[in-house]
Amino acid sequence: MRQLIPHFILKRFEENKFEGILEASVIFIDISGFTAMTQTLMQNGEEGAEILTEIINRIFTPAIEIIYQSGGFISTFAGDAFTAIFSNTTKTQSIHASVNVVKNIMKIFKEIGLQTTRFGEFNLSIKIGISYGKVNWAILKGTKTSSYYFKGDAINNSANCEHFCGSNEIVTDSSILEFAEIKVTKIDKAGYYLVKNIDDFLKTDEIIDRSVDKNFFNFVPGSIIDSNIVGEFRNIIPCFISFEENNSMISGISKVINLSSQYGGYFNKIDFGDKGGIIIILFGAPTAQEKLVNRALDFAISLNKMSNNDFNCRIALTSGLVYAGFIGSELRGEYTALGAIVNLSARLMMRAKFGDIVVDDSIKNSTGNLYNFDFVNEASFKGFKEKISYYKLREKAEINLNNSFTNKFVGRQQELENLKSKLQPLYENKCGGVVYIDGPGGIGKTRMVNELKATLNLETISWFLMPCDEILRKSFNPIISFLKTYFHQSEHNDIAQNKKNFEDKITSLIEKTNESSLKKELIRTKSVLGAIISLFWENSLYEHLDAKGKHENKIFAVKNLIKAESRQKPVIIELDDGHWIDVDSNEFLHNLMRNTEQYPFIIISACRFNDDGKEFYFGINSLKEQRILLEYFSEESARKM
């Protein structure tokens, strides 16, 4: 198994040590020509990916071996660059080990820098910066996965030294000179020196521990541990987050780790360098997912809402084809993404203002009308021939969740009549139970439900939409979505207006409810209904309940609202994409169906089959459940379509 986490970190995790300071020599190595090579090979499909993987192994493996033989370790990779830390017994030993490594790596690249493939020749070179000083390290524990970082003067200074390098050059600063016999030439910038020659130092020949510590699994998700793919070209969304360093940034980063997991992003790394603190999150790798753009943008919006003065950040997102896979070697590597769009995301991040989310055309043009953007600028970026337009994400648009279809309804008349017949109990003032509309994705389940709605008189029936959310499956999410619509809540309103809209609606329902027990419960649990949609009142019932009481009363409050509404006129609950239902909403369904046989409501749920091909099931055993299966069109219906 590849070693994806520094043994230094795994050992500290085992010892329950989560932060500290090192005195260390640090080298920063940047490989030039890698992005251009990646973009060229990307045009040659699977074979191009295989060739790129071979080159990565050929280039990185000997360099990493030398680092570990000399007592150092790789702290972080940054695409085609990486940082190595040497904290040997004494300052002299650390510096001698690091400069010896630098000399040997430079020798390797002069021999293998030219890579010849059947798709062309690629000339790779390196730039190396080297410095000595303090290095801070920390381990951040998340709910599902943990992360770590290294930061400090030595890391920043080694990166600064690299900026003054030409092709295949080494630059150092004064922190190294007095402890290493190296010949240098002073360059124009004060305090920086171009290394001309390095004398040999004794190698330490450290024993390389190739075992995988059990704590490895706290840092690396199973999708990477179990992956058999070494490298591939795939479409992803790289998200770069720059944040301000302050005393409370640790708690902010931990929240980002957890938030990225909720939205299905892979928390790739935290990196500190000359650009400050940066977080990289990948959407679409290592696991492909549906609604990739929605996941990434909703994550960015949620992060912005969560952020405050304790975690001030700026965010940039792009999308496109990258090389996604392992770089480095078996001894020390990382799963990451390489390619032009990754670089563009990093550069857009640096153009953004703190508090902003910026995207390129590829993101903006793929969102339809679901998000609102403002044009920012059209600018030139390093590595791109054409100017690139970028935009600020303003907000998620408020969209009418009721689907509207303009095309003719074809080939489902029999199924539609069957569905209409399931409503008969409503006209007899009885509960109609659950009706599943089964079928694979894209076969027309939602279209079928929408056609039913179009045939009904909505003045005599209440239609409540509860859409399940594939991305988050957040607690009570379909119920929250329904209640926000029911109570006329909007992000554009201030809290006073949203509270007024809530009060007007609930008061109207209470006044119309004749059943005394229902009326009392609506009055009693009014603050609980408000809390579900984030409306709170001081000294209310909700504030006096414990966690268990809050959970139970939420279920009872919504159940009583449905019961009260069904006494006014029959209720149809459209539970869209029921296969994505969260645990708490499913519990609500079970409770809703208890002792409600004489209340005229019905649940209609469009559901995909499970991964094993079987029908999805809410598991409500106490109630009659019915199914309508949508199969593929007949030849005649297909011709009509």
Side-chain angles (χ1 to χ4, degrees):
M1 186 181 289
R2 290 174 178 270
Q3 182 54 268
L4 303 178
I5 305 297
H7 277 96
F8 176 91
I9 291 295
L10 296 176
K11 186 176 180 182
R12 300 306 177 275
F13 191 92
E14 177 73 24
E15 296 168 348
N16 285 320
K17 295 177 181 177
F18 298 105
E19 60 180 336
I21 301 175
L22 300 173
E23 294 280 346
S25 184
V26 177
I27 61 175
F28 179 79
I29 301 176
D30 185 30
I31 305 174
S32 301
F34 219 93
T35 300
M37 177 180 67
T38 301
Q39 293 301 115
T40 299
L41 293 175
M42 202 178 284
Q43 300 170 25
N44 295 282
E46 188 175 340
E47 186 179 359
E50 291 174 358
I51 290 171
L52 184 55
T53 300
E54 291 172 3
I55 293 174
I56 286 172
N57 290 331
R58 202 176 301 141
I59 292 292
F60 280 92
T61 298
I64 292 172
E65 291 280 353
I66 290 170
I67 288 167
Y68 278 78
Q69 286 170 355
S70 300
F73 65 89
I74 306 287
S75 59
T76 50
F77 291 87
D80 50 15
F82 58 92
T83 301
I85 295 175
F86 299 81
S87 56
N88 303 61
T89 306
T90 67
K91 180 175 182 177
T92 300
Q93 287 176 333
S94 298
I95 292 175
H96 283 191
S98 63
V99 296
N100 198 63
V101 163
V102 165
K103 177 180 179 179
N104 283 283
I105 289 177
M106 188 64 73
K107 187 185 299 182
I108 290 170
F109 264 84
K110 286 180 179 178
E111 294 172 357
I112 65 174
L114 182 65
Q115 293 290 318
T116 302
T117 76
R118 81 181 198 88
F119 299 117
E121 289 188 341
F122 304 101
N123 193 14
L124 304 178
S125 61
I126 57 171
K127 301 175 182 179
I128 304 178
I130 180 169
S131 185
Y132 184 91
K134 291 187 182 297
V135 174
N136 299 72
W137 63 269
I139 298 172
L140 309 176
K141 298 185 75 174
T143 305
K144 292 185 178 180
T145 58
S146 299
S147 191
Y148 64 93
Y149 69 75
F150 293 88
K151 64 186 288 286
D153 293 342
I155 290 176
N156 295 342
N157 292 340
S158 66
N160 289 334
C161 287
E162 183 270 334
H163 291 331
F164 299 110
C165 289
S167 177
N168 291 322
E169 288 185 346
I170 305 166
V171 170
T172 187
D173 59 19
S174 56
S175 66
I176 297 294
L177 296 183
E178 63 179 298
F179 291 89
E181 297 177 12
I182 54 179
K183 296 176 181 178
V184 298
T185 300
K186 192 171 184 179
I187 58 179
D188 291 341
K189 293 289 183 180
Y192 294 98
Y193 304 87
L194 178 65
V195 176
K196 305 299 289 184
N197 187 48
I198 298 176
D199 292 337
D200 285 322
F201 294 102
L202 181 66
K203 287 186 182 180
T204 60
D205 288 324
E206 291 264 325
I207 297 173
I208 301 171
D209 184 0
R210 295 180 183 271
S211 63
V212 177
D213 191 287
K214 67 179 186 296
N215 292 311
F216 172 83
F217 301 98
N218 290 290
F219 294 87
V220 183
S223 55
I224 289 178
I225 295 171
D226 300 333
S227 176
N228 294 320
I229 298 174
V230 177
E232 61 184 337
F233 296 132
R234 68 189 304 164
N235 285 293
I236 72 160
I237 296 176
C239 175
F240 275 68
I241 303 164
S242 169
F243 59 91
E244 292 181 343
E245 298 181 43
N246 55 40
N247 293 332
S248 57
M249 70 177 182
I250 299 296
S251 62
I253 296 171
S254 296
K255 289 176 183 177
V256 178
I257 294 173
N258 295 332
L259 197 64
S260 64
S261 177
Q262 289 176 36
Y263 283 90
Y266 167 50
F267 190 95
N268 187 225
K269 69 172 65 113
I270 314 163
D271 194 14
F272 287 90
D274 54 324
K275 295 180 177 66
I278 293 172
I279 293 170
I280 304 173
I281 296 170
L282 306 179
F283 290 89
T287 305
Q289 295 163 316
E290 293 183 349
K291 299 184 179 179
L292 205 59
V293 174
N294 303 68
R295 288 177 182 274
L297 293 182
D298 288 352
F299 161 78
I301 291 170
S302 296
L303 176 56
N304 244 14
K305 287 180 179 178
M306 180 196 78
S307 300
N308 48 41
N309 292 332
D310 293 336
F311 191 74
N312 193 21
C313 67
R314 50 186 173 173
I315 306 169
L317 305 100
T318 58
S319 71
L321 194 65
V322 301
Y323 173 84
F326 296 98
I327 61 169
S329 69
E330 292 286 339
L331 178 60
R332 175 71 172 95
E334 177 183 89
Y335 183 91
T336 192
L338 302 173
I341 69 144
V342 180
N343 297 346
L344 178 59
S345 190
R347 285 166 187 146
L348 279 176
M349 175 196 69
M350 298 306 295
R351 296 283 181 98
K353 297 177 181 177
F354 278 90
D356 285 355
I357 303 166
V358 298
V359 305
D360 68 345
D361 277 314
S362 67
I363 295 282
K364 176 183 176 292
N365 294 338
S366 62
T367 60
N369 60 350
L370 294 177
Y371 301 85
N372 296 323
F373 300 90
D374 292 327
F375 175 77
V376 177
N377 195 10
E378 184 181 56
S380 298
F381 291 88
K382 181 183 175 183
F384 296 86
K385 293 180 181 178
E386 305 293 331
K387 286 188 175 182
I388 292 172
S389 297
Y390 59 100
Y391 308 82
K392 175 183 173 181
L393 172 60
R394 193 166 72 246
E395 62 195 352
K396 191 169 186 175
E398 290 192 4
I399 302 295
N400 183 359
L401 291 172
N402 294 298
N403 295 296
S404 59
F405 298 87
T406 56
N407 57 305
K408 186 178 179 181
F409 186 67
V410 173
R412 301 289 190 204
Q413 289 300 330
Q414 185 176 342
E415 292 93 336
L416 178 60
E417 292 303 316
N418 188 8
L419 179 56
K420 289 170 73 172
S421 72
K422 309 299 184 191
L423 305 183
Q424 186 57 36
L426 301 185
Y427 305 116
E428 300 169 1
N429 284 320
K430 294 179 181 178
C431 178
V434 175
V435 179
Y436 297 92
I437 312 294
D438 294 317
I443 203 166
K445 300 182 296 295
T446 302
R447 175 73 171 93
M448 173 84 158
V449 177
N450 186 263
E451 191 66 20
L452 170 69
K453 184 177 180 182
T455 66
L456 300 175
N457 181 356
L458 295 183
E459 291 185 2
T460 60
I461 285 187
S462 293
W463 189 287
F464 295 154
L465 176 61
M466 296 187 182
C468 298
D469 184 358
E470 169 194 359
I471 296 174
L472 288 183
R473 303 199 202 182
K474 197 165 56 175
S475 174
F476 294 119
N477 193 75
I479 294 168
I480 293 169
S481 178
F482 156 64
L483 290 180
K484 283 184 175 180
T485 301
Y486 180 86
F487 287 114
H488 308 297
Q489 303 293 292
S490 172
E491 291 186 1
H492 299 302
N493 294 340
D494 58 25
I495 191 69
Q497 183 62 54
N498 277 335
K499 279 190 171 182
K500 181 181 184 305
N501 292 350
F502 174 87
E503 293 280 5
D504 290 347
K505 184 70 175 180
I506 194 66
T507 300
S508 173
L509 180 61
I510 290 170
E511 289 174 353
K512 290 186 291 186
T513 301
N514 295 321
E515 198 172 317
S516 60
S517 59
L518 268 181
K519 186 187 285 278
K520 286 179 182 177
E521 278 300 295
L522 288 173
I523 294 170
R524 185 186 73 85
T525 59
K526 186 171 74 169
S527 65
V528 178
L529 283 170
I532 296 174
I533 51 176
S534 301
L535 298 178
F536 303 98
W537 291 266
E538 245 182 87
N539 207 31
S540 66
L541 166 67
Y542 182 80
E543 294 207 336
H544 289 287
L545 294 170
D546 60 15
K548 183 181 178 183
K550 287 175 179 177
H551 177 77
E552 291 175 346
N553 274 272
K554 284 178 181 179
I555 291 172
F556 291 136
V558 181
K559 178 177 180 177
N560 287 322
L561 185 148
I562 299 296
K563 288 167 64 177
E565 280 288 354
S566 74
R567 287 296 189 224
Q568 310 309 312
K569 50 187 176 181
V571 169
I572 297 175
I573 298 172
E574 180 189 353
L575 193 68
D576 195 30
D577 285 333
H579 49 282
W580 298 125
I581 195 167
D582 63 277
V583 173
D584 291 332
S585 296
N586 199 11
E587 182 184 348
F588 162 74
L589 292 187
H590 284 240
N591 193 289
L592 178 62
M593 293 306 175
R594 291 187 197 127
N595 304 315
T596 50
E597 293 83 359
Q598 302 306 313
Y599 290 88
F601 69 86
I602 190 170
I603 296 171
I604 299 175
S605 185
C607 295
R608 292 184 193 174
F609 296 125
N610 293 324
D611 291 339
D612 60 5
K614 294 181 179 178
E615 297 165 334
F616 179 82
Y617 183 53
F618 294 125
I620 306 171
N621 299 316
S622 60
L623 184 80
K624 180 178 68 175
E625 294 182 293
Q626 303 175 81
R627 295 186 178 273
I628 296 175
L629 173 63
L630 296 192
E631 298 182 296
Y632 291 105
F633 281 139
S634 66
E635 186 177 344
E636 180 184 356
S637 296
R639 279 200 302 269
K640 287 181 180 179
M641 177 65 78

